[in-house]
C-alpha cells in the first residue's frame, strides 16, 4: 500500500512538472503582454487588421450566408479558395480606385501625408452592389498596365 502511494505521488509530481514546463512559455508570453503597453498596442492593431479582413471576406461571400454545406474536403477547399480570390480581387480593385483618387488629388495640388494614407482602408462596403447589374460589354478590353508607384514625399514622416 505504501509503495503504490509513493509511486502515485511521484507520477503526480512528474505530471505537474511536465505541465509547468509545457505552459511556461505561454505564461512568460502572457506576462510580457500584460506588462508591455507597446506589445499590447501592436497585438491589438494586428488583430484588428485580421478581423477586418475576415469581416470583409464574410461580406464578399454569397450564397447560404457563407456556410459551406458540402462535406467533401475538396469542395470545401475549392469554395474557400474562390472566396479568398474574390475578396482579394475586390480589395485590389478598391485599392486601385483609391490610388487613382490620391493621384488626382496630388495633380490638383493637394498635399497628401502619410497620416492621410494610414486612415484609408480597402475594406469598403458602402457603395459596392454585390448583386447589382454589371456591364460585360467591356470585358474583352485590355486594361492599362498597373503602376504601383505613388509619387509622395514621405521623408518628413520618416524623420519622426
Amino acid at each position: 500500500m505504501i509503495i503504490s502511494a509513493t509511486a502515485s505521488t511521484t507520477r503526480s509530481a512528474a505530471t505537474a512538472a511536465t505541465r509547468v514546463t509545457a505552459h511556461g512559455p505561454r505564461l512568460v508570453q502572457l506576462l510580457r503582454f500584460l506588462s508591455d503597453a507597446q506589445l499590447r498596442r501592436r497585438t491589438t492593431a494586428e488583430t484588428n487588421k485580421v478581423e477586418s479582413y475576415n469581416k470583409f471576406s464574410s461580406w464578399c461571400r454569397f450564397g447560404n450566408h457563407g456556410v459551406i454545406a458540402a462535406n467533401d474536403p475538396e469542395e470545401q477547399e475549392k469554395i474557400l479558395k474562390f472566396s479568398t480570390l474574390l475578396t482579394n480581387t475586390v480589395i485590389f480593385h478598391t485599392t486601385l480606385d483609391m490610388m487613382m483618387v490620391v493621384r488626382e488629388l496630388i495633380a490638383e495640388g493637394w498635399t497628401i501625408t502619410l497620416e492621410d494614407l494610414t486612415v484609408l482602408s480597402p475594406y469598403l462596403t458602402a457603395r459596392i452592389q454585390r448583386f447589382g447589374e454589371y456591364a460585360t460589354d467591356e470585358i474583352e478590353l485590355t486594361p492599362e498596365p498597373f503602376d504601383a508607384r505613388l509619387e509622395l514625399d514621405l521623408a518628413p514622416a520618416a524623420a519622426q
Side-chain angles (χ1 to χ4, degrees):
M1 185 91 139
I2 295 174
I3 295 171
S4 71
T6 305
S8 175
T9 305
T10 305
R11 267 188 298 223
S12 295
T15 304
T18 304
R19 284 188 186 145
V20 168
T21 304
H23 296 302
R26 282 192 271 179
L27 179 61
V28 169
Q29 182 63 24
L30 178 60
L31 292 173
R32 278 186 53 221
F33 179 79
L34 292 174
S35 64
D36 187 352
Q38 178 63 26
L39 178 61
R40 284 196 308 274
R41 279 192 293 275
R42 256 191 359 250
T43 303
T44 301
E46 295 305 316
T47 302
N48 288 343
K49 288 178 191 176
V50 171
E51 288 175 354
S52 295
Y53 176 85
N54 289 335
K55 181 180 176 186
F56 185 72
S57 179
S58 177
W59 181 86
C60 285
R61 266 185 244 122
F62 51 89
N64 206 16
H65 302 288
V67 175
I68 301 174
N71 286 329
D72 179 19
E74 289 181 11
E75 189 68 21
Q76 291 173 345
E77 184 177 357
K78 184 173 75 173
I79 291 169
L80 286 174
K81 285 181 178 180
F82 173 76
S83 173
T84 302
L85 177 64
L86 176 66
T87 301
N88 291 340
T89 303
V90 173
I91 289 170
F92 183 69
H93 190 276
T94 303
T95 303
L96 288 177
D97 289 345
M98 292 166 76
M99 286 179 65
M100 183 177 66
V101 170
V102 168
R103 285 184 178 122
E104 288 173 2
L105 290 171
I106 292 171
E108 291 175 7
W110 289 83
T111 302
I112 305 296
T113 64
L114 184 60
E115 289 79 25
D116 295 331
L117 297 177
T118 58
V119 298
L120 298 178
S121 171
Y123 306 132
L124 303 175
T125 58
R127 291 186 172 82
I128 297 176
Q129 296 180 1
R130 292 189 306 168
F131 308 114
E133 295 180 23
Y134 296 94
T136 57
D137 55 337
E138 297 178 356
I139 204 161
E140 293 186 19
L141 297 177
T142 305
E144 295 178 19
F146 171 64
D147 181 14
R149 288 176 286 132
L150 191 58
E151 302 297 327
L152 290 177
D153 181 23
L154 299 178
Q160 293 179 352

